[in-house]
Amino acid sequence: MIYHSNNTTQTTIVSSLQHFLLLIPFVYLLKMSLNKIITNGTHNTNSHLPKRIILVRHGELSANVDINVYGTTPNHKIGLTEKGIEQAKQSGNQIKKLISENASNNWKVFFYVSPAERTRRTLREMGGSFAKRRVMGVKEEYRLRELNFGNFNDPAGIEEIKKERFTYGRFYYRVPGGESGAEVYDRISSFVECLRRDIEMKKFCHDPCQESNIIIVTHGLSNRIFLMKWFDWTIEQFEDLNRIKLGEFQVLQLGEGGEYSLAFHHDDKKLQEWGLSPDMIENQKCRAYGPTRVNSQGTSDVYPFMDCFAEDSDDEITII
């Protein structure tokens, strides 16, 4: 009887163990499925997106010191001053510090640069801050070039053009023999759409665990037009924008909701300095952290021309 009891107990244990072993693959698959569902609903869906898009304005150029240079040197060949070179080096150091201190050790950068001599030199001076293993690539992008002011310009003519352009409106004004802001918008828009396509095709995401950053070295107007296109700002909002300083940079950082925002790295004072209105600043905060307050005006601040439509009413008649 004792032997029979032990045999029955052993048989029961073996049978239970066999059932348990059969369940292990199913438990594992269930766990993997749940993890996939959970991670797809959070930040991992944005893992292919660059963490930051950083816009850099070139350093001081010789024409900023002596305006007569515009009359003797082609605009695209005007180089940096010693101060401009130092500004570019400082920008590189600051950007490297910003990225490395707010990321894991697995981060990289991809550079776009305007073909002008001043932007190319700015990139070269910035490059000293980044080890080659950190650089995914560099592309000279012709659509990022500065507004075409024509060929050689005399100082008096340049000042007159600037005054007239300010009065007429910087977006629509066409520089004699050159471009209008609207034409710059067209080519910058083409670049932005290609950039977005490359991002969606995971051009900058060779490793899901790697943090990528895009750095764009360009000009004052091209910089503002990029922001206008990226954030869908109106022409009126663009006209109120101010150029960032020589050697200064702006950081668009990715939020958990998949939106890029200037509000992560720049406070209200700085955004106001760049010409953003209170509503534009509020929008940047919403992109970064989600809605911060209830907008009592509904969609009027979000979409232009909403103020021309009739107010909603309970007795509105709908014709089907």
Side-chain angles (χ1 to χ4, degrees):
M1 294 295 291
I2 296 174
Y3 174 78
H4 178 72
S5 177
N6 287 341
N7 186 44
T8 303
T9 302
Q10 289 175 353
T11 302
T12 303
I13 293 173
V14 170
S15 177
S16 299
L17 182 59
Q18 288 175 336
H19 282 89
F20 175 75
L21 291 174
L22 288 172
L23 286 173
I24 288 178
F26 296 102
V27 172
Y28 175 78
L29 289 174
L30 178 61
K31 180 181 178 182
M32 293 297 292
S33 299
L34 288 173
N35 284 341
K36 186 174 181 180
I37 293 171
I38 292 170
T39 54
N40 281 346
T42 59
H43 64 279
N44 284 345
T45 51
N46 300 323
S47 61
H48 68 288
L49 302 178
K51 181 66 175 180
R52 301 173 191 86
I53 299 174
I54 303 175
L55 305 175
V56 185
R57 189 183 176 198
H58 59 77
E60 181 186 74
L61 60 153
S62 57
N64 295 134
V65 178
D66 180 9
I67 196 172
N68 292 301
V69 172
Y70 285 120
T72 59
T73 307
N75 190 291
H76 62 282
K77 291 186 177 181
I78 299 175
L80 299 182
T81 62
E82 289 300 319
K83 180 180 178 180
I85 291 173
E86 188 58 36
Q87 288 172 332
K89 290 179 179 178
Q90 187 175 358
S91 293
N93 290 333
Q94 291 174 344
I95 292 173
K96 160 72 178 306
K97 182 179 179 182
L98 183 154
I99 294 174
S100 60
E101 289 185 351
N102 294 278
S104 64
N105 192 45
N106 191 16
W107 60 268
K108 291 198 174 185
V109 294
F110 189 100
F111 287 93
Y112 286 98
V113 62
S114 161
E117 171 59 27
R118 53 189 177 272
T119 45
R120 293 164 70 176
R121 182 62 186 275
T122 297
L123 171 61
R124 288 187 176 278
E125 299 302 331
M126 290 175 60
S129 298
F130 299 90
K132 289 183 179 180
R133 68 184 180 88
R134 296 291 189 185
V135 182
M136 289 186 287
V138 181
K139 182 178 181 181
E140 188 172 86
E141 176 53 66
Y142 300 97
R143 289 171 291 186
L144 292 173
R145 66 187 184 275
E146 176 65 294
L147 171 75
N148 185 353
F149 277 91
N151 299 322
F152 297 105
N153 303 105
D154 66 282
I158 292 174
E159 291 303 317
E160 187 62 32
I161 287 173
K162 286 182 177 180
K163 291 178 182 178
E164 189 175 64
R165 180 168 165 249
F166 179 79
T167 303
Y168 191 92
R170 291 173 294 183
F171 189 81
Y172 288 116
Y173 180 80
R174 179 187 295 279
V175 176
E179 287 182 297
S180 67
E183 289 170 312
V184 177
Y185 180 87
D186 289 341
R187 54 180 164 84
I188 295 294
S189 292
S190 172
F191 167 69
V192 169
E193 292 305 323
C194 288
L195 177 62
R196 284 174 167 160
R197 180 198 63 200
D198 287 345
I199 290 174
E200 289 305 316
M201 292 178 66
K202 302 183 180 180
K203 177 179 178 179
F204 310 103
C205 181
H206 304 297
D207 178 358
C209 297
Q210 173 185 292
E211 183 179 285
S212 61
N213 301 270
I214 296 174
I215 302 176
I216 302 173
V217 186
T218 184
H219 308 266
L221 181 68
S222 300
N223 184 305
R224 282 171 284 160
I225 295 268
F226 181 97
L227 294 176
M228 176 187 180
K229 172 63 178 177
W230 191 273
F231 292 123
D232 293 321
W233 290 340
T234 65
I235 295 172
E236 289 77 15
Q237 289 172 322
F238 164 79
E239 292 288 357
D240 290 333
L241 296 177
N242 301 315
R243 287 185 301 184
I244 63 175
K245 298 173 183 176
L246 294 165
E248 193 174 19
F249 59 88
Q250 295 169 308
V251 182
L252 288 72
Q253 181 165 312
L254 182 67
E256 291 187 0
E259 296 275 7
Y260 287 91
S261 173
L262 293 164
F264 284 109
H265 287 281
H266 309 293
D267 59 20
D268 289 12
K269 182 178 180 181
K270 178 57 70 173
L271 295 179
Q272 289 169 3
E273 177 186 317
W274 290 336
L276 276 71
S277 68
D279 285 340
M280 294 165 74
I281 293 174
E282 181 69 19
N283 178 260
Q284 291 300 311
K285 292 179 180 179
C286 287
R287 287 172 173 270
Y289 310 111
T292 55
R293 63 173 173 81
V294 177
N295 190 337
S296 60
Q297 296 183 0
T299 57
S300 297
D301 292 341
V302 180
Y303 300 104
F305 308 110
M306 288 299 293
D307 58 335
C308 71
F309 297 101
E311 295 295 333
D312 296 331
S313 62
D314 294 334
D315 59 351
E316 183 180 356
I317 300 175
T318 303
I319 301 177
I320 301 177

